[in-house]
């Protein structure tokens, strides 16, 4: 082989080596870019479901950033605006949420409303995945004539009133009457009953709003009826809530003995939580027959097997029910209960805030399959990269622990879908950029938090909540 042939051969080999090296480098570089790609995830709603999902995602995906978008200037949702003021231990979960928010890979965008300030389509264009967790903000109604009368309001609105939800300060419930009738027997209903019957001094050291404390100081409420369609074995309140009611000073719990006919015979068939709750009710029933009504005391009056039928000015009519296969079936017999104020507490439902959301208006929740939002409800086809968690996806069920488990499950689903390349995460996304909009950052929230806690100190309270959004924005420095 001559020199020229040798040279050409060597050149060809070198070109092959360089070509292979270049291809290998390109592949390696591509893999590195994919491995380090910043996966952007947007969570709409800064309540428990949103923060728990963020916590899971940040822990499991080291190459992701999470933005939380919240319509209010302040975070924490129902933990701030739904948990009873005299349950500060439940609010301790805020410490966990704060640690999550302080992760450098998380950004908080307060005062941004989905469907108004930004559309779902715009979010989907700016993020690899979007998780909807904005909760349930509407009430289920009784569907009775006169339900829109001023003396008929929802327990949710009353909770928002004493918890300082912006706008709720205008509610002005009429507490000038002796009797309040609450329709529903869940924990929210019991929370409201306890707030109405608690000694004012015990509420002054909580974060109950000052305007609510002033109204409760003038309250003439002495009796609260808690009415449910079904029997004691189906009561939705927990043993913790009942214990608190039974321990309220100067408040007597008065059960109806007829509601408990045959209940003790069924104790051995009950699961432990239900058995313990039922035993406590039976114990309280037995003790009330030995006690006398104390002059000046208030009364908590649980009433079972009654279905709402009609609303009048100062009373409410109920149909007597019977249990058939665990369902309440109305009879022709009726009963009237005094009701200067009627509080509806029969459940919440969510709103559809954006036309791009596949929403079931009848159920009041986003159409989904195990947290994956459906593109088509008939074919059950999935909308890749779009998810829902919390009450918006499941309906208003369970407590904060339930919400945590559900949020973790949906967050894991997002991680699994990313790993399976269900949707593209290889291309970069810009995330949220809202220009000159008045956005409250996490630092802005911290300024609001500091202001509220300092305002509460002078009153011996953990905080005095700001209820005016404009004032919130001013303090946040927006």
């Amino acid at each position: 082989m001559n020199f020229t042939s040798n040279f050409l051969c060597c050149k060809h080999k070198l070109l092959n080596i360089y070509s292979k090296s270049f291809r290998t480098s390109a592949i390696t570089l591509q893999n590195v870019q994919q491995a380090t790609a910043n996966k952007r995830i947007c969570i709409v709603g800064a309540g428990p479901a949103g923060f728990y999902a963020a916590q899971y995602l940040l822990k499991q995906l080291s190459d992701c950033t999470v933005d939380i978008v919240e319509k209010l200037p302040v975070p924490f949702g129902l933990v701030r605006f739904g948990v009873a003021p005299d349950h500060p231990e439940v609010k301790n979960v805020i410490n966990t949420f704060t640690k999550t928010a302080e992760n450098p890979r998380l950004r908080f965008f307060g005062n941004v409303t989905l469907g108004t300030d930004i559309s779902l389509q715009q979010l989907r264009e700016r993020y690899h995945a979007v998780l909807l967790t904005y909760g349930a903000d509407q009430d289920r109604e009784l569907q009775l004539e006169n339900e829109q009368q001023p003396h008929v309001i929802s327990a949710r609105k009353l909770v928002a009133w004493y918890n300082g939800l912006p706008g709720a300060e205008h509610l002005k419930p009429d507490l000038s009457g002796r009797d309040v009738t609450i329709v529903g027997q869940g924990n929210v209903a019991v929370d409201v009953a306890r707030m109405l019957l608690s000694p004012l001094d015990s509420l002054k050291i909580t974060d109950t709003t000052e305007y609510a404390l002033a109204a409760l100081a003038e309250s003439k409420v002495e009796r609260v009826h808690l009415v449910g369609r079904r029997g004691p074995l189906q009561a939705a309140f927990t043993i913790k809530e009942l214990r608190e009611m039974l321990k309220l000073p100067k408040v007597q719990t008065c059960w109806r003995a007829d509601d408990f006919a045959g209940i003790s015979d069924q104790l051995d068939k009950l699961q432990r939580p239900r058995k313990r709750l039922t035993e406590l009710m039976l114990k309280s029933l037995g003790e009330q027959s030995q006690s006398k009504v104390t002059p000046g005391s208030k009364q908590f009056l649980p009433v079972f097997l009654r279905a709402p039928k009609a609303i009048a000015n100062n009373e409410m009519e109920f149909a007597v029910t019977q249990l058939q296969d665990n369902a309440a079936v109305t009879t022709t017999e009726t009963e009237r209960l005094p009701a200067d104020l009627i509080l509806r507490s029969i459940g919440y439902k969510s709103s559809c805030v954006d036309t791009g959301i596949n929403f079931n208006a009848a159920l009041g929740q986003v159409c989904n399959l195990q947290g994956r939002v459906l593109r088509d409800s008939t074919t059950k086809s999935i909308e890749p990269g779009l998810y829902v968690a919390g009450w918006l996806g499941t309906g208003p069920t369970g407590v904060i622990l339930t919400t945590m488990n559900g949020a973790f499950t949906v967050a894991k689903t997002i991680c699994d879908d990313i790993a399976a390349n269900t949707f593209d995460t290889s291309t970069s996304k810009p995330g949220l950029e809202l220009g000159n909009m008045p956005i409250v950052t996490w630092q802005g929230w911290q300024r609001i938090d500091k202001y509220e806690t300092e305002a509460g100190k002078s009153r011996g309270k953990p905080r005095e909540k700001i209820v005016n959004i404009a004032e919130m924005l001013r303090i946040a420095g927006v």
Side-chain angles (χ1 to χ4, degrees), residues 129-197:
V130 175
L131 171 60
L132 304 173
T133 68
Y134 61 78
D137 61 345
Q138 300 294 318
D139 303 296
R140 299 197 179 278
E141 297 185 345
L142 299 169
Q143 305 296 325
L144 294 177
E145 190 176 351
N146 297 325
E147 191 170 352
Q148 305 309 316
Q149 292 295 314
H151 73 298
V152 183
I153 61 177
S154 74
R156 180 189 64 84
K157 288 183 177 179
L158 193 76
V159 170
W161 171 73
Y162 59 64
N163 268 329
L165 180 70
E169 69 273 20
H170 305 302
L171 184 65
K172 301 189 187 315
D174 185 359
L175 305 178
S176 62
R178 180 191 181 194
D179 288 281
V180 173
T181 292
I182 303 175
V183 182
Q185 292 186 328
N187 280 341
V188 172
V190 179
D191 279 345
V192 170
R194 190 179 64 256
M195 289 292 292
L196 292 172
L197 295 172

Side-chain angles (χ1 to χ4, degrees), residues 233-458:
L233 295 182
Q234 293 79 33
F237 52 77
T238 61
I239 192 169
K240 177 182 181 294
E241 300 283 339
L242 179 57
R243 281 199 186 110
E244 290 178 330
M245 285 300 307
L246 296 178
K247 291 177 181 178
L248 274 187
K250 295 184 179 180
V251 176
Q252 292 182 307
T253 299
C254 302
W255 309 92
R256 294 182 173 186
D258 291 347
D259 288 344
F260 291 85
I263 294 296
S264 59
D265 298 334
Q266 302 183 54
L267 283 176
D268 292 340
K269 303 174 185 177
L270 303 176
Q271 293 186 349
R272 189 169 182 270
R274 175 62 61 180
K275 182 178 181 181
R276 290 174 62 231
L277 174 60
T278 307
E279 286 173 338
L280 181 58
M281 286 190 279
L282 289 170
K283 180 175 180 288
S284 177
L285 172 65
E287 291 171 347
Q288 86 179 25
S289 61
Q290 303 167 14
S291 61
K292 296 180 181 179
V293 176
T294 305
S297 66
K298 298 178 180 181
Q299 291 183 312
F300 174 58
L301 304 158
V303 180
F304 298 99
L305 300 169
R306 298 292 184 271
K309 185 176 181 180
I311 294 170
N313 287 336
N314 299 105
E315 63 180 13
M316 188 167 180
E317 184 178 12
F318 292 86
V320 177
T321 64
Q322 294 178 345
L323 284 179
Q324 294 182 13
D325 297 326
N326 213 34
V329 178
T330 58
T331 67
T332 56
E333 188 179 353
T334 62
E335 178 184 3
R336 290 177 180 268
L337 293 176
D340 299 302
L341 176 65
I342 296 171
L343 298 174
R344 178 182 60 237
S345 187
I346 57 171
Y348 303 159
K349 58 182 180 179
S350 299
S351 303
C352 183
V353 300
D354 189 288
T355 55
I357 300 173
N358 184 2
F359 193 80
N360 186 322
L363 294 177
Q365 62 191 66
V366 172
C367 301
N368 72 98
L369 190 62
Q370 297 175 334
R372 296 181 177 96
V373 175
L374 296 176
R375 175 182 293 169
D376 187 300
S377 300
T378 304
T379 62
K380 302 295 183 183
S381 59
I382 301 297
E383 187 66 58
L386 185 58
Y387 303 86
V388 63
W391 287 3
L392 182 61
T394 64
T397 59
V399 293
I400 289 180
L401 180 62
T402 316
T403 300
M404 179 189 75
N405 291 332
F408 283 172
T409 299
V410 176
K412 181 180 184 301
T413 298
I414 295 174
C415 295
D416 292 344
D417 286 354
I418 289 174
N421 293 318
T422 302
F423 53 90
D424 180 28
T425 60
S426 62
T427 57
S428 63
K429 296 284 186 175
L432 200 58
E433 297 168 359
L434 293 183
N436 296 323
M437 276 198 59
I439 297 169
V440 177
T441 63
W442 190 255
Q443 290 71 32
W445 152 244
Q446 288 175 322
R447 286 190 281 272
I448 295 172
D449 182 41
K450 181 180 179 181
Y451 185 96
E452 289 184 340
T453 52
E454 288 179 352
K457 283 179 183 177
S458 62

